Amino acid sequence: FSDRMLHPKNDTMIGLTVAGALTPAGLGGCVIEMMEHGLVDFLISTGANLYHDLHYALNFTLRRGSPFLDDRALYAAGVIRIYDVLFPATVLLETDAYIREFLVRSGLNGPVSTAEFHYRLGQDLIAQRPGCEDYSVVARTAKLGVQIYTSSPGDSSIGMNIAWHELMNDSRLMIDPNLDVNEVCAIILAGKKNGCVILGGGSPKNFYLQGQPTLWEVYGIPKGGNDYFIQITTDSVV
């Protein structure tokens, strides 16, 4: 990573893909550090990572518990569990409320890319919660001007609240995945060399790696594959 992907002579465009829901476990701080030091140029994440990142921006507390707790007892107590991370159900409800209020404040009323949506969301977080960019990936990307995409925008609580807003407020706001596909292809095409750091795998990994096939297979542009990639995963090789 440091000797090749970050070597100034290589002029590598580096994307970071983040799968699952790693922000509840505190990974967001690592991502913020990487962006702050210029180690990544853009991000692709699951919607879950970005939604749970908002808890930190809104100053909610998440606690470490155990993956072996009785989910029936947790449900009766109004406690949400993400593997071994625990928090009260009110955290979800209040985060949802913030998203819906933001959607009204934003005035967004047409097709947007996920990058544009997250930039506007990050700007709102900074305005509503000054200083939250020290703890929130979404807010920090808006401050630094780092593009952040979601490969499956409907597959998260952010997407669920957008769907509610469109239905209940007769809004024309729509996340347009076509914009995302073409923007990521443009980013890949702009780089002299391309590299990716893959945390996990899944949809974010595929969304980034499909860029080169989109360019040569669909657009007829022979860009070639990634020059460098690093993947950290718990997948077992059989």
Side-chain angles (χ1 to χ4, degrees):
F1 184 70
S2 59
D3 292 343
R4 296 188 179 187
M5 294 173 74
L6 297 177
H7 197 287
K9 291 184 178 180
N10 289 335
D11 189 23
T12 304
M13 185 76 72
I14 302 174
L16 173 67
T17 75
V18 188
L22 299 178
T23 54
L27 186 75
C30 300
V31 176
I32 288 172
E33 286 293 311
M34 293 181 72
M35 293 190 299
E36 189 65 36
H37 289 87
L39 304 184
V40 295
D41 296 300
F42 66 100
L43 280 75
I44 300 174
S45 171
T46 59
N49 273 313
L50 306 182
Y51 174 73
H52 294 300
D53 172 77
L54 300 182
H55 306 331
Y56 294 95
L58 301 175
N59 202 31
F60 294 128
T61 299
L62 283 66
R63 300 187 181 278
R64 183 177 180 180
S66 167
F68 305 111
L69 296 173
D70 187 332
D71 285 319
R72 294 167 298 181
L74 293 176
Y75 177 79
V79 176
I80 302 296
R81 179 178 71 84
I82 304 176
Y83 190 61
D84 64 346
V85 177
L86 308 175
F87 51 90
T90 53
V91 169
L92 300 181
L93 298 177
E94 293 184 40
T95 303
D96 289 347
Y98 163 76
I99 295 171
R100 291 195 294 270
E101 291 165 3
F102 156 71
L103 290 170
V104 173
R105 282 194 299 268
S106 72
L108 291 169
N109 196 32
V112 296
S113 68
T114 58
E116 172 67 16
F117 179 83
H118 295 136
Y119 176 71
R120 297 283 292 272
L121 178 60
Q123 285 186 315
D124 190 81
L125 285 169
I126 293 171
Q128 299 294 322
R129 304 278 178 155
C132 74
E133 62 270 23
D134 292 338
Y135 312 102
S136 165
V137 173
V138 176
R140 195 55 157 258
T141 57
K143 180 179 179 180
L144 297 176
V146 175
Q147 301 279 72
I148 181 167
Y149 295 90
T150 297
S151 48
S152 51
D155 187 20
S156 76
S157 294
I158 294 178
M160 290 152 52
N161 281 288
I162 293 174
W164 177 93
H165 176 74
E166 180 183 10
L167 180 64
M168 302 304 292
N169 294 299
D170 194 26
S171 170
R172 292 179 294 171
L173 171 62
M174 180 185 69
I175 302 297
D176 187 345
N178 295 335
L179 294 173
D180 285 357
V181 170
N182 286 324
E183 285 183 19
V184 171
C185 285
I187 291 172
I188 292 171
L189 192 59
K192 178 181 178 182
K193 291 189 175 182
N194 296 98
C196 53
V197 178
I198 302 166
L199 302 184
S203 180
K205 172 187 175 180
N206 181 75
F207 190 73
Y208 184 17
L209 297 185
Q210 76 176 14
Q212 281 84 358
T214 303
L215 287 170
W216 76 262
E217 182 181 341
V218 178
Y219 285 102
I221 302 173
K223 171 64 177 177
N226 281 292
D227 298 279
Y228 311 107
F229 75 89
I230 298 170
Q231 181 171 10
I232 300 173
T233 178
T234 58
D235 291 348
S236 299
V237 179
V238 179

